């Protein structure tokens, strides 16, 4: 790791994305004071990470490690009580926070169940609950939804969105999760940030605009030359691939990359849909799909290089 500069203000989430071995966990470990740094500077709550007195400021920091850190013999309720007392949380704050967390994460019915008897998804939710009950100023979340089923994952995401007073450093392999939670995203390759910005900025600046897929009956290609129409009426669409389908429909898919400029009233997006509507009516087009570049496509493009 070298040459990376970033900050996470209160009330925001920074997501670290990258392939395995990119340096996400190393960054996470150094900023959460689990691993020492060899050079550079890191600051948490205005103090250098090498000078942090965890005995005094530990209540303001919380971490959800990549692997579950729970006590098998304690129930869900006992685990949360133990963490709260360990961090010096008052009884009223503990009960208030615990009620909100158990309800949001759908753990109420499991509050008296030992941790060892929970399902994998509920163990992960408990691990996150132990972190969230502190309402910390600094939150480190290392792949918090790993191994969690879709229902449990939605519950976790709802809870994370309630961290409006925390500065959150998040690592994840899920692009949809990063896009949903993060104010800013850093994509790491070989220990360095190769791109940094909001999800919308990354898609706009490093994506390929929009993707257009048009399906036409193969028997109609000669009678209704789609490529000629597109070159004439959609000059900002570039044909990237042509695929003959083998699904029994005798169709051909034309894949286009579309670059659009938004200039107020002269938006080309409306013009594009007018042209596509004409295609459906006059050129025997079966259907079309028009989608914006996804964050996952941007990530894959950087990871390949």
């Amino acid at each position: 790791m070298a040459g990376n500069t970033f900050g996470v203000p209160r009330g925001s989430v920074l997501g670290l994305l990258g392939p395995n071995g990119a340096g996400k966990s190393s960054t996470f470990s150094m900023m959460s004071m689990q691993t020492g740094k060899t050079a550079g500077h890191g600051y948490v709550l205005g103090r250098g990470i090498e000078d942090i007195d965890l005995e005094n400021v530990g209540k303001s920091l919380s971490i959800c490690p990549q692997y579950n850190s729970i006590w098998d013999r304690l129930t869900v309720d006992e685990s949360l009580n133990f963490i709260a007392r360990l961090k010096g949380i008052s009884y009223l704050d503990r009960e208030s926070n615990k009620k909100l967390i158990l309800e949001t994460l759908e753990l109420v019915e499991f509050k008296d169940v030992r941790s060892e008897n929970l399902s994998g998804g509920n163990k992960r939710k408990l691990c996150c609950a132990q972190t969230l009950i502190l309402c910390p100023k600094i939150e480190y979340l290392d792949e918090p939804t790993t191994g969690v089923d879709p229902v449990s994952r939605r519950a976790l995401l709802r809870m994370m969105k309630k961290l409006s007073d925390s500065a959150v450093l998040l690592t994840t392999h899920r692009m949809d999760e990063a896009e949903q939670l993060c104010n800013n995203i850093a994509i790491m390759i070989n220990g360095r940030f190769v791109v940094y910005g909001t999800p919308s900025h990354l898609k706009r600046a490093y994506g390929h605009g929009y993707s257009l897929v048009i399906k036409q009956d193969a028997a109609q290609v000669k009678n209704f030359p789609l490529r000629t129409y597109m070159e004439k009426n959609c000059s900002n669409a570039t044909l990237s691939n042509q695929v003959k389908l083998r699904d029994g429909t005798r169709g051909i898919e034309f894949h286009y990359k579309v670059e659009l400029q938004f200039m107020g009233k002269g938006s080309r997006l409306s013009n594009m849909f007018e042209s596509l509507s004409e295609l459906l009516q006059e050129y025997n087009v079966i259907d079309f799909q028009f989608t914006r570049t996804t964050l996952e496509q941007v990530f894959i493009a950087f990871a390949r290089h």
Side-chain angles (χ1 to χ4, degrees), residues 192-291:
R192 294 182 180 272
F193 289 178
V194 294
V195 66
Y196 182 98
T198 64
S200 59
H201 167 73
L202 299 188
K203 289 188 292 185
R204 185 173 61 252
Y206 301 101
H208 298 290
Y210 292 79
S211 296
L212 172 63
V213 179
I214 303 173
K215 182 192 287 188
Q216 188 179 26
D217 190 321
Q220 301 296 330
V221 172
K222 289 184 178 181
N223 298 329
F224 301 95
L226 177 65
R227 293 178 62 174
T228 302
Y229 174 88
M230 292 295 291
E231 290 172 1
K232 180 179 177 181
N233 296 279
C234 304
S235 59
N236 51 342
T238 304
L239 184 66
S240 59
N241 196 12
Q242 181 175 322
V243 181
K244 187 174 183 179
L245 301 180
R246 301 182 182 277
D247 56 1
T249 62
R250 296 188 306 120
I252 294 180
E253 279 188 351
F254 297 87
H255 294 249
Y256 287 88
K257 292 181 179 179
V258 184
E259 297 292 339
L260 293 179
Q261 301 271 339
F262 292 94
M263 304 292 289
K265 295 182 179 179
S267 171
R268 293 186 183 177
L269 187 58
S270 60
N271 297 337
M272 175 61 70
F273 276 102
E274 287 178 8
S275 299
L276 292 174
S277 297
E278 185 177 336
L279 277 175
L280 285 175
Q281 297 170 12
E282 301 182 15
Y283 276 74
N284 284 16
V285 166
I286 300 172
D287 63 36
F288 68 84
Q289 298 176 10
F290 190 69
T291 57

Side-chain angles (χ1 to χ4, degrees), residues 34-52:
Q34 298 177 82
T35 302
K37 61 181 179 61
T38 56
H41 304 282
Y43 299 92
V44 174
L45 298 174
R47 301 179 177 88
I49 54 177
E50 64 275 3
D51 300 323
I52 293 255

